[in-house]
Amino acid sequence: MIDDSRPIYVQIAERIENDIIEGGLLEESQVPSTNQFASFYQINPATAGKGVNLLVDQGILYKKRGVGMFVTAGAREKLMQKRRDQFLEQYVITMIQEAEKIGITRDQLSEMIMKGGKLQ
Amino acid sequence: MTNIIEVNQLTKSFGSATTVNDVSFTIEEGKIYGLLGRNGAGKTTIMNMITAQLFPTSGEIKVFGEAPYENQSVLRQICFIKEGQQYPHLFRIADVLDLCPSLFPNWDNEYAYSLLEEYKLPVKRKIKKLSRGMLSSVGIVIGLASRAPLTIFDEPYLGLDAVARGIFYDRLLEDYAKHPRTIILSTHLIDEVSRMLEHVLLLDQGKLIINEEVDAIRGRAYTAIGSAKIMDSFMSGKQILHQESMGSIVSTTVFEPLDKQTRMEAEELGLEITPVSLQQLIIHLTNNTPKRKVDLNQ
């Protein structure tokens, strides 16, 4: 679940992002409260709040006064675009480096990608 | 933010030994603090001074804006659960709880009894007949149900098993969410509590060496693992906190935030970068071997 590698609030924000991308949290639906996040992940409520606020700042969530946090309309597409932008650096470059290290040629690699794609 | 505690240049000496050495910090309202450090670092001495059970040799302490000594209006707002807390031996658990409403203005009796049930504590048993773990549980029940604006737990879990500690963490977070208050947790079980803390005070040999938000500390160090040859060039000019080797593989912990450029450099060199947990970082910082010479104020 939560690991020690990065700030916890960043991980909370990512979990909410994933939920929105995967359709667990629909646009205009209510997000769990910071206290609910805190008790579920056994973390400090202020930390959970920081994660939620990160997404408010990015316009992914918005606050309804006295009610709670909600997912902004259009948030899903916005997040998908952000993840696509990160894809090259996060996955492709790492993969190519590893492939070079263990002697897989570019051709072999692209063949693997084609085959792997069919498994889906 | 309101400051609940202000400690200014606090020093405590016992004879020639200085247990607390020129320590200054503030505790803000409504946060969960971790007071961490090795045995003998001065944690309990500081807590004893905050709760007016010990006089400082020099320096100033203000709790809720006032000096705590013989100050009922301050002390009524504090609940201090000590390691190995003593209770009158002939009392039953029920007798101890009967005293609580007069000591703690926010005492919630119903909540206390629900916690007793959860800890399966025999209410009618005498204190002297309780096991070590049961005694610790009584302390936890009192600490939580006191709902004191300043609640201090000093190593509250002597003899408590992992399940009982888990109950403590769950209930603490749950009740803190419902009734926000200032909590200071002093413990050696850093890995278990690190996620619950908002702010850490780390003591080493009587000195305060870290006073920072947990999230900020988390990113202050990293470990690089790789062959000794590559490591030498990568490490030059960096603040090394800890180093160990196994054959030709070296693991080096660097006390610097990992920026993007350094990460890329490490990746190109084929070094593996791993995070340092709060517990590991604290072990490295307070393990006083000669190799560790780091300027913490950088």
mmCIF file of all heavy atoms in Angstrom, chain B residues 118-155:
data_model
loop_
_atom_site.group_PDB
_atom_site.id
_atom_site.type_symbol
_atom_site.label_atom_id
_atom_site.label_comp_id
_atom_site.label_asym_id
_atom_site.label_seq_id
_atom_site.Cartn_x
_atom_site.Cartn_y
_atom_site.Cartn_z
ATOM 1 N N GLU B 118 -12.346 -3.367 24.746
ATOM 2 C CA GLU B 118 -11.556 -3.745 23.580
ATOM 3 C C GLU B 118 -10.223 -4.371 24.000
ATOM 4 O O GLU B 118 -9.733 -5.305 23.371
ATOM 5 C CB GLU B 118 -11.310 -2.524 22.704
ATOM 6 C CG GLU B 118 -10.802 -2.905 21.340
ATOM 7 C CD GLU B 118 -10.917 -1.763 20.347
ATOM 8 O OE1 GLU B 118 -11.183 -0.613 20.734
ATOM 9 O OE2 GLU B 118 -10.739 -2.031 19.159
ATOM 10 N N TYR B 119 -9.642 -3.853 25.071
ATOM 11 C CA TYR B 119 -8.389 -4.415 25.580
ATOM 12 C C TYR B 119 -8.628 -5.604 26.507
ATOM 13 O O TYR B 119 -7.681 -6.128 27.100
ATOM 14 C CB TYR B 119 -7.582 -3.341 26.302
ATOM 15 C CG TYR B 119 -6.707 -2.537 25.370
ATOM 16 C CD1 TYR B 119 -6.906 -1.187 25.159
ATOM 17 C CD2 TYR B 119 -5.665 -3.166 24.672
ATOM 18 C CE1 TYR B 119 -6.095 -0.466 24.296
ATOM 19 C CE2 TYR B 119 -4.857 -2.454 23.814
ATOM 20 C CZ TYR B 119 -5.073 -1.102 23.631
ATOM 21 O OH TYR B 119 -4.273 -0.404 22.773
ATOM 22 N N LYS B 120 -9.900 -5.977 26.676
ATOM 23 C CA LYS B 120 -10.262 -7.109 27.536
ATOM 24 C C LYS B 120 -9.631 -6.978 28.928
ATOM 25 O O LYS B 120 -9.067 -7.930 29.468
ATOM 26 C CB LYS B 120 -9.854 -8.430 26.886
ATOM 27 C CG LYS B 120 -10.522 -8.650 25.538
ATOM 28 C CD LYS B 120 -10.375 -10.077 25.068
ATOM 29 C CE LYS B 120 -11.214 -10.362 23.846
ATOM 30 N NZ LYS B 120 -10.931 -9.444 22.719
ATOM 31 N N LEU B 121 -9.734 -5.794 29.487
ATOM 32 C CA LEU B 121 -9.154 -5.574 30.812
ATOM 33 C C LEU B 121 -10.176 -5.904 31.895
ATOM 34 O O LEU B 121 -11.325 -5.477 31.825
ATOM 35 C CB LEU B 121 -8.708 -4.112 30.960
ATOM 36 C CG LEU B 121 -7.445 -3.726 30.189
ATOM 37 C CD1 LEU B 121 -7.249 -2.225 30.192
ATOM 38 C CD2 LEU B 121 -6.226 -4.409 30.786
ATOM 39 N N PRO B 122 -9.765 -6.661 32.914
ATOM 40 C CA PRO B 122 -10.668 -7.021 34.013
ATOM 41 C C PRO B 122 -10.836 -5.826 34.960
ATOM 42 O O PRO B 122 -9.954 -5.555 35.781
ATOM 43 C CB PRO B 122 -9.946 -8.177 34.707
ATOM 44 C CG PRO B 122 -8.514 -8.001 34.345
ATOM 45 C CD PRO B 122 -8.426 -7.239 33.074
ATOM 46 N N VAL B 123 -11.979 -5.160 34.847
ATOM 47 C CA VAL B 123 -12.211 -3.900 35.560
ATOM 48 C C VAL B 123 -12.083 -4.056 37.069
ATOM 49 O O VAL B 123 -11.660 -3.147 37.776
ATOM 50 C CB VAL B 123 -13.622 -3.367 35.204
ATOM 51 C CG1 VAL B 123 -13.880 -2.034 35.874
ATOM 52 C CG2 VAL B 123 -13.754 -3.235 33.704
ATOM 53 N N LYS B 124 -12.457 -5.228 37.573
ATOM 54 C CA LYS B 124 -12.492 -5.396 39.027
ATOM 55 C C LYS B 124 -11.200 -5.959 39.596
ATOM 56 O O LYS B 124 -11.087 -6.178 40.799
ATOM 57 C CB LYS B 124 -13.669 -6.285 39.404
ATOM 58 C CG LYS B 124 -14.979 -5.573 39.139
ATOM 59 C CD LYS B 124 -16.157 -6.290 39.700
ATOM 60 C CE LYS B 124 -17.405 -5.441 39.523
ATOM 61 N NZ LYS B 124 -18.597 -6.254 39.292
ATOM 62 N N ARG B 125 -10.213 -6.191 38.726
ATOM 63 C CA ARG B 125 -8.978 -6.765 39.250
ATOM 64 C C ARG B 125 -8.090 -5.671 39.851
ATOM 65 O O ARG B 125 -8.060 -4.545 39.379
ATOM 66 C CB ARG B 125 -8.209 -7.501 38.156
ATOM 67 C CG ARG B 125 -7.112 -8.384 38.744
ATOM 68 C CD ARG B 125 -6.408 -9.204 37.711
ATOM 69 N NE ARG B 125 -7.321 -10.116 37.017
ATOM 70 C CZ ARG B 125 -6.916 -10.900 35.999
ATOM 71 N NH1 ARG B 125 -5.673 -10.851 35.559
ATOM 72 N NH2 ARG B 125 -7.782 -11.692 35.409
ATOM 73 N N LYS B 126 -7.358 -6.051 40.903
ATOM 74 C CA LYS B 126 -6.458 -5.080 41.546
ATOM 75 C C LYS B 126 -5.252 -4.817 40.639
ATOM 76 O O LYS B 126 -4.764 -5.712 39.946
ATOM 77 C CB LYS B 126 -5.981 -5.632 42.894
ATOM 78 C CG LYS B 126 -7.076 -5.629 43.941
ATOM 79 C CD LYS B 126 -6.507 -5.405 45.335
ATOM 80 C CE LYS B 126 -7.627 -5.181 46.323
ATOM 81 N NZ LYS B 126 -8.019 -6.409 47.027
ATOM 82 N N ILE B 127 -4.780 -3.576 40.713
ATOM 83 C CA ILE B 127 -3.652 -3.150 39.882
ATOM 84 C C ILE B 127 -2.435 -4.063 40.069
ATOM 85 O O ILE B 127 -1.760 -4.436 39.123
ATOM 86 C CB ILE B 127 -3.266 -1.689 40.231
ATOM 87 C CG1 ILE B 127 -4.369 -0.724 39.747
ATOM 88 C CG2 ILE B 127 -1.919 -1.298 39.635
ATOM 89 C CD1 ILE B 127 -4.481 -0.533 38.269
ATOM 90 N N LYS B 128 -2.158 -4.463 41.319
ATOM 91 C CA LYS B 128 -0.946 -5.260 41.555
ATOM 92 C C LYS B 128 -1.043 -6.670 40.967
ATOM 93 O O LYS B 128 -0.037 -7.350 40.849
ATOM 94 C CB LYS B 128 -0.620 -5.297 43.055
ATOM 95 C CG LYS B 128 -1.612 -6.040 43.897
ATOM 96 C CD LYS B 128 -1.063 -6.192 45.311
ATOM 97 C CE LYS B 128 -2.079 -6.926 46.158
ATOM 98 N NZ LYS B 128 -1.658 -7.036 47.555
ATOM 99 N N LYS B 129 -2.263 -7.072 40.605
ATOM 100 C CA LYS B 129 -2.422 -8.412 40.013
ATOM 101 C C LYS B 129 -2.372 -8.374 38.481
ATOM 102 O O LYS B 129 -2.582 -9.388 37.827
ATOM 103 C CB LYS B 129 -3.774 -9.012 40.449
ATOM 104 C CG LYS B 129 -3.879 -9.255 41.944
ATOM 105 C CD LYS B 129 -3.716 -10.745 42.245
ATOM 106 C CE LYS B 129 -3.468 -11.019 43.698
ATOM 107 N NZ LYS B 129 -4.695 -11.114 44.491
ATOM 108 N N LEU B 130 -2.166 -7.193 37.920
ATOM 109 C CA LEU B 130 -2.179 -7.079 36.457
ATOM 110 C C LEU B 130 -0.822 -7.433 35.867
ATOM 111 O O LEU B 130 0.211 -7.201 36.486
ATOM 112 C CB LEU B 130 -2.543 -5.650 36.033
ATOM 113 C CG LEU B 130 -3.924 -5.129 36.416
ATOM 114 C CD1 LEU B 130 -4.099 -3.706 35.903
ATOM 115 C CD2 LEU B 130 -5.018 -6.024 35.854
ATOM 116 N N SER B 131 -0.837 -7.955 34.646
ATOM 117 C CA SER B 131 0.418 -8.226 33.944
ATOM 118 C C SER B 131 0.996 -6.910 33.429
ATOM 119 O O SER B 131 0.313 -5.882 33.409
ATOM 120 C CB SER B 131 0.174 -9.167 32.769
ATOM 121 O OG SER B 131 -0.499 -8.476 31.743
ATOM 122 N N ARG B 132 2.250 -6.944 33.003
ATOM 123 C CA ARG B 132 2.925 -5.763 32.471
ATOM 124 C C ARG B 132 2.131 -5.152 31.300
ATOM 125 O O ARG B 132 1.896 -3.951 31.239
ATOM 126 C CB ARG B 132 4.323 -6.205 32.012
ATOM 127 C CG ARG B 132 5.313 -5.124 31.623
ATOM 128 C CD ARG B 132 5.528 -4.107 32.688
ATOM 129 N NE ARG B 132 4.811 -2.915 32.339
ATOM 130 C CZ ARG B 132 4.741 -1.818 33.073
ATOM 131 N NH1 ARG B 132 5.350 -1.767 34.218
ATOM 132 N NH2 ARG B 132 4.064 -0.782 32.676
ATOM 133 N N GLY B 133 1.711 -6.025 30.380
ATOM 134 C CA GLY B 133 0.968 -5.543 29.213
ATOM 135 C C GLY B 133 -0.366 -4.926 29.608
ATOM 136 O O GLY B 133 -0.777 -3.909 29.057
ATOM 137 N N MET B 134 -1.047 -5.557 30.576
ATOM 138 C CA MET B 134 -2.340 -5.009 31.028
ATOM 139 C C MET B 134 -2.155 -3.625 31.634
ATOM 140 O O MET B 134 -2.945 -2.721 31.389
ATOM 141 C CB MET B 134 -2.963 -5.927 32.083
ATOM 142 C CG MET B 134 -3.616 -7.163 31.516
ATOM 143 S SD MET B 134 -4.126 -8.211 32.888
ATOM 144 C CE MET B 134 -5.182 -9.364 32.031
ATOM 145 N N LEU B 135 -1.089 -3.453 32.426
ATOM 146 C CA LEU B 135 -0.817 -2.144 33.030
ATOM 147 C C LEU B 135 -0.608 -1.085 31.952
ATOM 148 O O LEU B 135 -1.116 0.029 32.048
ATOM 149 C CB LEU B 135 0.443 -2.223 33.891
ATOM 150 C CG LEU B 135 0.252 -2.453 35.375
ATOM 151 C CD1 LEU B 135 1.605 -2.503 36.056
ATOM 152 C CD2 LEU B 135 -0.613 -1.361 35.990
ATOM 153 N N SER B 136 0.145 -1.462 30.920
ATOM 154 C CA SER B 136 0.357 -0.525 29.813
ATOM 155 C C SER B 136 -0.972 -0.173 29.156
ATOM 156 O O SER B 136 -1.205 0.987 28.807
ATOM 157 C CB SER B 136 1.306 -1.119 28.777
ATOM 158 O OG SER B 136 2.580 -1.298 29.339
ATOM 159 N N SER B 137 -1.840 -1.182 28.988
ATOM 160 C CA SER B 137 -3.140 -0.924 28.373
ATOM 161 C C SER B 137 -3.959 0.057 29.208
ATOM 162 O O SER B 137 -4.652 0.911 28.666
ATOM 163 C CB SER B 137 -3.948 -2.214 28.211
ATOM 164 O OG SER B 137 -3.173 -3.196 27.586
ATOM 165 N N VAL B 138 -3.877 -0.068 30.542
ATOM 166 C CA VAL B 138 -4.610 0.864 31.406
ATOM 167 C C VAL B 138 -4.139 2.290 31.114
ATOM 168 O O VAL B 138 -4.940 3.215 30.976
ATOM 169 C CB VAL B 138 -4.406 0.515 32.903
ATOM 170 C CG1 VAL B 138 -4.997 1.597 33.791
ATOM 171 C CG2 VAL B 138 -5.042 -0.836 33.220
ATOM 172 N N GLY B 139 -2.823 2.463 30.984
ATOM 173 C CA GLY B 139 -2.272 3.782 30.668
ATOM 174 C C GLY B 139 -2.799 4.318 29.354
ATOM 175 O O GLY B 139 -3.164 5.494 29.243
ATOM 176 N N ILE B 140 -2.865 3.448 28.359
ATOM 177 C CA ILE B 140 -3.347 3.869 27.047
ATOM 178 C C ILE B 140 -4.819 4.290 27.123
ATOM 179 O O ILE B 140 -5.220 5.315 26.567
ATOM 180 C CB ILE B 140 -3.123 2.741 26.016
ATOM 181 C CG1 ILE B 140 -1.640 2.721 25.639
ATOM 182 C CG2 ILE B 140 -3.994 2.914 24.788
ATOM 183 C CD1 ILE B 140 -1.218 1.543 24.818
ATOM 184 N N VAL B 141 -5.611 3.502 27.851
ATOM 185 C CA VAL B 141 -7.032 3.837 28.017
ATOM 186 C C VAL B 141 -7.172 5.211 28.653
ATOM 187 O O VAL B 141 -7.932 6.063 28.170
ATOM 188 C CB VAL B 141 -7.755 2.764 28.868
ATOM 189 C CG1 VAL B 141 -9.157 3.226 29.248
ATOM 190 C CG2 VAL B 141 -7.803 1.430 28.123
ATOM 191 N N ILE B 142 -6.402 5.456 29.710
ATOM 192 C CA ILE B 142 -6.492 6.751 30.399
ATOM 193 C C ILE B 142 -6.031 7.879 29.471
ATOM 194 O O ILE B 142 -6.684 8.909 29.357
ATOM 195 C CB ILE B 142 -5.655 6.736 31.703
ATOM 196 C CG1 ILE B 142 -6.282 5.748 32.692
ATOM 197 C CG2 ILE B 142 -5.581 8.134 32.317
ATOM 198 C CD1 ILE B 142 -5.469 5.511 33.935
ATOM 199 N N GLY B 143 -4.927 7.645 28.782
ATOM 200 C CA GLY B 143 -4.400 8.670 27.879
ATOM 201 C C GLY B 143 -5.388 9.059 26.804
ATOM 202 O O GLY B 143 -5.558 10.244 26.495
ATOM 203 N N LEU B 144 -6.065 8.057 26.221
ATOM 204 C CA LEU B 144 -7.011 8.356 25.149
ATOM 205 C C LEU B 144 -8.286 8.994 25.700
ATOM 206 O O LEU B 144 -8.767 9.998 25.183
ATOM 207 C CB LEU B 144 -7.357 7.082 24.369
ATOM 208 C CG LEU B 144 -6.247 6.517 23.475
ATOM 209 C CD1 LEU B 144 -6.668 5.175 22.884
ATOM 210 C CD2 LEU B 144 -5.892 7.494 22.361
ATOM 211 N N ALA B 145 -8.839 8.393 26.768
ATOM 212 C CA ALA B 145 -10.135 8.867 27.271
ATOM 213 C C ALA B 145 -10.023 10.196 28.020
ATOM 214 O O ALA B 145 -11.024 10.867 28.224
ATOM 215 C CB ALA B 145 -10.774 7.809 28.175
ATOM 216 N N SER B 146 -8.805 10.593 28.382
ATOM 217 C CA SER B 146 -8.650 11.891 29.057
ATOM 218 C C SER B 146 -8.984 13.030 28.101
ATOM 219 O O SER B 146 -9.415 14.093 28.522
ATOM 220 C CB SER B 146 -7.218 12.062 29.560
ATOM 221 O OG SER B 146 -6.351 12.345 28.487
ATOM 222 N N ARG B 147 -8.776 12.788 26.801
ATOM 223 C CA ARG B 147 -8.984 13.825 25.779
ATOM 224 C C ARG B 147 -8.332 15.143 26.200
ATOM 225 O O ARG B 147 -8.833 16.230 25.909
ATOM 226 C CB ARG B 147 -10.474 14.043 25.504
ATOM 227 C CG ARG B 147 -11.175 12.798 24.999
ATOM 228 C CD ARG B 147 -11.932 13.046 23.710
ATOM 229 N NE ARG B 147 -12.377 11.779 23.130
ATOM 230 C CZ ARG B 147 -13.599 11.282 23.254
ATOM 231 N NH1 ARG B 147 -14.513 11.953 23.931
ATOM 232 N NH2 ARG B 147 -13.909 10.139 22.688
ATOM 233 N N ALA B 148 -7.194 15.038 26.895
ATOM 234 C CA ALA B 148 -6.510 16.247 27.373
ATOM 235 C C ALA B 148 -5.976 17.035 26.177
ATOM 236 O O ALA B 148 -5.477 16.437 25.223
ATOM 237 C CB ALA B 148 -5.373 15.849 28.294
ATOM 238 N N PRO B 149 -6.083 18.366 26.219
ATOM 239 C CA PRO B 149 -5.588 19.187 25.110
ATOM 240 C C PRO B 149 -4.126 18.913 24.775
ATOM 241 O O PRO B 149 -3.707 19.067 23.640
ATOM 242 C CB PRO B 149 -5.765 20.617 25.623
ATOM 243 C CG PRO B 149 -6.889 20.529 26.596
ATOM 244 C CD PRO B 149 -6.758 19.182 27.240
ATOM 245 N N LEU B 150 -3.352 18.505 25.788
ATOM 246 C CA LEU B 150 -1.974 18.065 25.540
ATOM 247 C C LEU B 150 -1.825 16.676 26.142
ATOM 248 O O LEU B 150 -1.874 16.506 27.362
ATOM 249 C CB LEU B 150 -0.974 19.037 26.188
ATOM 250 C CG LEU B 150 0.501 18.603 26.161
ATOM 251 C CD1 LEU B 150 1.005 18.394 24.737
ATOM 252 C CD2 LEU B 150 1.380 19.606 26.890
ATOM 253 N N THR B 151 -1.710 15.672 25.278
ATOM 254 C CA THR B 151 -1.573 14.295 25.753
ATOM 255 C C THR B 151 -0.187 13.792 25.379
ATOM 256 O O THR B 151 0.218 13.889 24.225
ATOM 257 C CB THR B 151 -2.649 13.396 25.127
ATOM 258 O OG1 THR B 151 -3.933 13.969 25.371
ATOM 259 C CG2 THR B 151 -2.616 12.004 25.731
ATOM 260 N N ILE B 152 0.535 13.295 26.379
ATOM 261 C CA ILE B 152 1.908 12.845 26.155
ATOM 262 C C ILE B 152 2.009 11.355 26.491
ATOM 263 O O ILE B 152 1.646 10.939 27.590
ATOM 264 C CB ILE B 152 2.900 13.641 27.033
ATOM 265 C CG1 ILE B 152 2.741 15.143 26.768
ATOM 266 C CG2 ILE B 152 4.330 13.194 26.766
ATOM 267 C CD1 ILE B 152 3.600 16.011 27.683
ATOM 268 N N PHE B 153 2.456 10.571 25.530
ATOM 269 C CA PHE B 153 2.691 9.150 25.779
ATOM 270 C C PHE B 153 4.189 8.905 25.736
ATOM 271 O O PHE B 153 4.821 9.061 24.691
ATOM 272 C CB PHE B 153 2.030 8.288 24.694
ATOM 273 C CG PHE B 153 0.527 8.272 24.729
ATOM 274 C CD1 PHE B 153 -0.211 9.049 23.848
ATOM 275 C CD2 PHE B 153 -0.145 7.449 25.609
ATOM 276 C CE1 PHE B 153 -1.598 9.015 23.863
ATOM 277 C CE2 PHE B 153 -1.536 7.407 25.629
ATOM 278 C CZ PHE B 153 -2.261 8.184 24.759
ATOM 279 N N ASP B 154 4.753 8.531 26.874
ATOM 280 C CA ASP B 154 6.179 8.214 26.903
ATOM 281 C C ASP B 154 6.333 6.702 26.875
ATOM 282 O O ASP B 154 6.093 6.027 27.866
ATOM 283 C CB ASP B 154 6.815 8.796 28.171
ATOM 284 C CG ASP B 154 8.315 8.539 28.235
ATOM 285 O OD1 ASP B 154 8.884 8.083 27.230
ATOM 286 O OD2 ASP B 154 8.911 8.794 29.293
ATOM 287 N N GLU B 155 6.717 6.182 25.718
ATOM 288 C CA GLU B 155 6.962 4.740 25.573
ATOM 289 C C GLU B 155 5.830 3.949 26.237
ATOM 290 O O GLU B 155 6.052 3.230 27.212
ATOM 291 C CB GLU B 155 8.309 4.425 26.241
ATOM 292 C CG GLU B 155 9.064 3.267 25.649
ATOM 293 C CD GLU B 155 9.444 3.451 24.192
ATOM 294 O OE1 GLU B 155 10.304 4.277 23.877
ATOM 295 O OE2 GLU B 155 8.845 2.755 23.354
#
